[in-house]
Amino acid sequence: MRRIRTVGIAALATTAALGALTAPAGAEARTRAGDCDYPAQQLDLTDWKETLPTGSSGSPTEIKQPALSTYAVDPWFTVNPACTGVQFRAAVNGVTTSGSSYPRSELREMADNGSSNASWSATSGTHTMVFREAFKHLPNDKSEVVGAQIHDDSDDVTVFRLEGSNLYVTKGDDSHYRLVTDSYALNTVYEGKFVVSDGQIKVYYNGTLEATIAHTGGGNYFKAGAYTQANCDKSAPCSDSNYGEVHIYKLDVTHA
């Protein structure tokens, strides 16, 4: 079993009927020297790489290990101001990958200490990602951001997607497959979980099973961060001031 460790984040409290989580405390514990310099001091990024909304057209900047362990770039990928997690930001004018028209500041799961792409089967073993995050800012006009997802060798399989105040779990091309809540408020911390085994993906929101999705495709991997679902054709102004942002406080992956 391989575990990705999360640097200590304070316990959560469940409030309200939907199980919304309180913002993480414990910034004082993180003020000792060095803890607030790099995202890798907040989350164990040994088996991840970061894609940024910068670089050249169709070829965004990627940061892999070992460089990722001491890397930060403000405001796209950095420790958040409270020093309680990692800030991911992607502006609508950001560089995109060749396979997408939208920018991202997003981690992609890797293997072998970050030296190779993770690629696992949905029908063999059990693959789990638990994450704690908050959507902090949405782009104008097309106010949509993806905060975490499972991707296979060809496309996204399921994601947590916020549209305004509506938080959805998607299924393939069905972007509105499961409405988790229609009253999500920015800055609300929630805990999501994907569990993949026996050709099924179970998706949880604050401990409640929200969807069970059949999936037998191969080449799977986890992703997490801010994948802004808007660009300069769909959102104004076309500038760095118009962006999507997600803060991640916990990121824990296991394969068994």
Side-chain angles (χ1 to χ4, degrees):
M1 176 184 296
R2 175 171 64 83
R3 293 185 178 273
I4 291 182
R5 176 181 55 84
T6 303
V7 176
I9 300 294
L12 299 168
T14 301
T15 63
L18 287 171
L21 303 179
T22 58
E28 296 84 0
R30 265 199 245 326
T31 56
R32 62 186 183 275
D35 277 5
C36 302
D37 294 335
Y38 308 115
Q41 294 163 329
Q42 297 287 316
L43 305 172
D44 187 336
L45 301 181
T46 301
D47 280 321
W48 296 94
K49 73 174 179 181
E50 166 69 7
T51 300
L52 294 165
T54 60
S56 58
S57 179
S59 183
T61 303
E62 289 188 343
I63 310 298
K64 300 179 179 180
Q65 293 291 0
L68 185 60
S69 63
T70 55
Y71 183 84
V73 57
D74 190 18
W76 315 119
F77 175 68
T78 188
V79 176
N80 69 350
C83 193
T84 55
V86 179
Q87 173 178 301
F88 298 81
R89 181 184 294 187
V92 297
N93 61 348
V95 173
T96 68
T97 63
S98 59
S100 175
S101 58
Y102 300 131
R104 72 186 79 208
S105 174
E106 190 178 42
L107 294 167
R108 193 261 198 224
E109 186 190 4
M110 302 291 282
D112 303 319
N113 295 317
S115 63
S116 61
N117 290 343
S119 178
W120 40 265
S121 169
T123 59
S124 177
T126 300
H127 314 278
T128 305
M129 181 170 77
V130 180
F131 57 93
R132 193 174 301 146
E133 69 181 15
F135 293 92
K136 306 292 284 188
H137 194 276
L138 300 178
N140 298 329
D141 305 316
K142 191 172 185 283
S143 300
E144 302 174 11
V145 175
V146 167
Q149 61 174 302
I150 298 175
H151 208 284
D152 66 13
D153 52 15
S154 60
D155 205 351
D156 57 280
V157 178
T158 182
V159 314
F160 276 86
R161 177 190 183 99
L162 182 64
E163 299 183 6
S165 61
N166 294 328
L167 181 61
Y168 294 98
V169 169
T170 72
K171 177 184 177 183
D173 292 332
D174 186 350
S175 60
H176 298 156
Y177 177 70
R178 170 66 176 171
L179 178 63
V180 174
T181 175
D182 62 1
S183 58
Y184 179 87
L186 292 179
N187 304 311
T188 302
V189 181
Y190 74 95
E191 185 166 279
K193 180 167 71 171
F194 296 118
V195 181
V196 187
S197 64
D198 299 324
Q200 289 188 327
I201 302 171
K202 295 186 180 297
V203 187
Y204 297 82
Y205 173 75
N206 289 342
T208 299
L209 178 63
E210 293 288 345
T212 300
I213 298 169
H215 177 60
T216 58
N220 300 285
Y221 53 93
F222 295 116
K223 305 186 81 174
Y227 184 13
T228 300
Q229 303 293 287
N231 54 34
C232 289
D233 292 333
K234 299 182 178 182
S235 182
C238 180
S239 72
D240 289 355
S241 65
N242 186 11
Y243 59 88
E245 184 173 301
V246 174
H247 291 192
I248 296 182
Y249 309 99
K250 172 182 179 179
L251 188 59
D252 207 3
V253 167
T254 60
H255 298 287

